[in-house]
Amino acid sequence: YGWVEIQANNINIQGTLSASGFGYRGGNGGSGGGGDGCTSQSGSSGNSGNGSYGGNGGGGGGTGGCGDECDQCSGGGSGSGGIRGGYAASQSQGDNTMDESLLMGSGGGGGGGGGAASDINCWWGEGAGGGGGAGNPGGGYIKLYASNTLAVSGSILTIGNNSATGNGGNGESSPGYVSCCSPWANGGSGGSGGSSGSSSGGSGGSGAYCGNRGGSGGSGAAGAGGGVLLKAESVSVTGSINALGGGSSATNGGTVK
C-alpha cells in the first residue's frame, strides 16, 4: 500500500508525482476446473479485492452438459468477471466529505475460473477451464501541505489500475484416450488464477476426441482511484491532476480536495 504526504514552506510539482496502482490490492483470480471426462470440475470463484470497498470476485463457470452421445457434450461455462473496486462506496466514488481525510482506492475483484468440458463416455479427458484474471489494485493517496505557495505545473496521479501484467493461466488440453476413467485419461489441468495485478482470464483447453473446450476465465476488475489533497495559502494548478479509477472511469475515481 502506498501514500505520500509532503509538508513544506513552498511546494512546486514540475514533473510527475504518482501513487497510481499503490492502493489496496485486487483479489486473486479463481482456478479453472480440471478436465477429467468422468469428473470434470467447475471453476472456482475469484477473491474479493482488498479495502473497505473491494469489489466482489466473479463466480466460477460450470462444467459442460452431456446428452446420450459424445458429440452431444458441450464445453465448460466461462467464469464471470470480477466487480470493480470503490473509493468511498461500493463500486463508486461516494465521497461528500469536506475535511482533509483521504482514502486509498480499493482493489477490484478477481475473475472466476472457467469450468471444464464434459465427456459422457469418460473415455477421453476434455479441455480444462482457464484461470480467472486477478483484480487490479487501486490508487494510493497524496497529501500536499505548503505554508506559502503550492504550484502544480506537472502531473499528480492517483489512478487505479486496469490492465497490469500476470493473467490467468490457460487450461490445458486433453492428452488423449487411454481407458475408461483411467487416471491417464484425464483432461488438462485447470489454469491457475492470476496473482494480484492481472486482468485477463485464461482460455480453456481443448478436448482430445470430442474437441469440447473448457470455459474461459473471467477478467479481473479495475481498482478505484485514490484521493488528492492540496492545502496552502496560495494554490496554483496549471498542470494536471488525475484520480480516475482503472480504465479512466470517473464512477469509481478518487476525490480531489
Side-chain angles (χ1 to χ4, degrees), residues 72-145:
Q72 292 177 340
C73 296
S74 62
S78 296
S80 300
I83 303 299
R84 67 189 174 204
Y87 177 74
S90 176
Q91 304 184 54
S92 60
Q93 205 274 341
D95 184 21
N96 56 9
T97 62
M98 300 296 289
D99 57 17
E100 298 176 13
S101 63
L102 292 179
L103 299 171
M104 294 188 296
S106 294
S118 297
D119 178 358
I120 189 65
N121 293 317
C122 301
W123 295 347
W124 303 82
E126 289 295 336
N136 289 274
Y141 70 73
I142 295 175
K143 290 184 176 183
L144 303 180
Y145 295 93

Side-chain angles (χ1 to χ4, degrees), residues 7-201:
Q7 300 183 27
N9 289 330
N10 299 288
I11 298 175
N12 188 1
I13 306 298
Q14 296 179 324
T16 299
L17 179 60
S18 177
S20 295
F22 284 98
Y24 290 107
R25 293 169 63 89
N28 289 340
S31 298
D36 183 346
C38 303
T39 56
S40 293
Q41 299 171 332
S42 298
S44 61
S45 297
N47 294 329
S48 296
N50 292 310
S52 298
Y53 303 101
N56 292 333
T63 59
C66 284
D68 296 329
E69 301 293 337
C70 175
D71 58 8
Q72 292 177 340
C73 296
S74 62
S78 296
S80 300
I83 303 299
R84 67 189 174 204
Y87 177 74
S90 176
Q91 304 184 54
S92 60
Q93 205 274 341
D95 184 21
N96 56 9
T97 62
M98 300 296 289
D99 57 17
E100 298 176 13
S101 63
L102 292 179
L103 299 171
M104 294 188 296
S106 294
S118 297
D119 178 358
I120 189 65
N121 293 317
C122 301
W123 295 347
W124 303 82
E126 289 295 336
N136 289 274
Y141 70 73
I142 295 175
K143 290 184 176 183
L144 303 180
Y145 295 93
S147 302
N148 298 316
T149 62
L150 195 168
V152 180
S153 57
S155 300
I156 297 176
L157 309 175
T158 58
I159 305 167
N161 278 5
N162 188 49
S163 57
T165 59
N167 299 323
N170 295 332
E172 294 180 353
S173 296
S174 167
Y177 166 78
V178 180
S179 62
C180 182
C181 293
S182 163
W184 295 104
N186 291 347
S189 299
S192 59
S195 60
S196 183
S198 69
S199 57
S200 297

